Amino acid sequence: DEITEENIIASALDKRVAEAQKKLYDDAVSTADKGQYDTAIAIFERLDSYSDSAKRATYFGIRLSEEALTNSTDLNAVQAVTARYAEMGDYLDCAERVAAMTAKATAILDGKYDAALALKNEGKYDEAIAAFTAIETHKDSAEQIVACETAILDGKYDAAMALKNEGKYTEA
């Protein structure tokens, strides 16, 4: 390479651009560390091709989605955020975020299971069946559905037998 004034100027500009990008990147990391994800995302998106900026923008977008679910019991939304973290593999703390979101999903399912069990225990079998069906793969929900269906049939049988014992054969 020939040393020319143009090459010297271009090299100096490249160096200044790289320094400015690094400063912006470091500022974005610091901003994200303070929980100001919106601002950090905007900076990372502007730095798109610098270092892992695009990936960090995606990651902090997922963090925003997770924060929005802090008090939520929306199982589908929790599972969607969990899947987005899982797609990022071992990037930053994604594995830990997957574990935390999986625990949150399990807690939601446990709450729904307990509510369905309460309905069953109150004799509200049709409602319990609907509730257990919504979480059919969680714990023993499938078995609980069968138990509710059996309880409904047992109730019908007992009612029919009572009518029969009273001599009300056509009603039985």
Side-chain angles (χ1 to χ4, degrees):
D1 286 330
E2 187 178 324
I3 299 177
T4 65
E5 185 176 343
E6 289 171 1
N7 287 343
I8 294 170
I9 291 170
S11 177
L13 283 174
D14 287 346
K15 184 178 179 185
R16 293 190 88 179
V17 166
E19 289 170 354
Q21 286 177 319
K22 179 168 179 10
K23 181 177 179 346
L24 275 174
Y25 180 89
D26 292 344
D27 287 349
V29 169
S30 176
T31 300
D33 288 345
K34 294 175 189 168
Q36 299 169 354
Y37 300 138
D38 283 328
T39 304
I41 290 167
I43 297 169
F44 285 128
E45 286 175 345
R46 290 187 69 198
L47 290 168
D48 182 53
S49 62
Y50 180 80
S51 187
D52 64 343
S53 293
K55 205 164 190 179
R56 281 190 183 258
T58 299
Y59 170 81
F60 288 112
I62 300 169
R63 287 297 299 262
L64 277 175
S65 297
E66 179 184 353
E67 279 188 354
L69 297 173
T70 299
N71 297 315
S72 176
T73 58
D74 182 344
L75 182 60
N76 291 333
V78 169
Q79 290 172 330
V81 168
T82 305
R84 289 181 65 203
Y85 277 130
E87 288 170 6
M88 295 198 74
D90 63 356
Y91 185 72
L92 297 177
D93 67 344
C94 287
E96 291 85 4
R97 304 292 347 129
V98 166
M101 294 304 289
T102 299
K104 182 175 180 69
T106 300
I108 292 169
L109 285 167
D110 286 347
K112 291 178 184 272
Y113 178 89
D114 292 344
L117 198 55
L119 290 168
K120 176 188 169 206
N121 292 338
E122 293 170 11
K124 298 177 180 177
Y125 300 118
D126 289 326
E127 292 176 51
I129 289 170
F132 282 122
T133 299
I135 57 166
E136 192 167 359
T137 60
H138 188 65
K139 293 186 177 181
D140 67 342
S141 293
E143 290 85 0
Q144 293 294 343
I145 292 168
V146 171
C148 289
E149 290 169 342
T150 301
I152 290 170
L153 292 175
D154 287 348
K156 288 179 181 179
Y157 176 81
D158 291 345
M161 288 305 292
L163 289 170
K164 178 188 168 248
N165 291 338
E166 293 174 14
K168 299 177 182 177
Y169 300 108
T170 55
E171 294 173 32

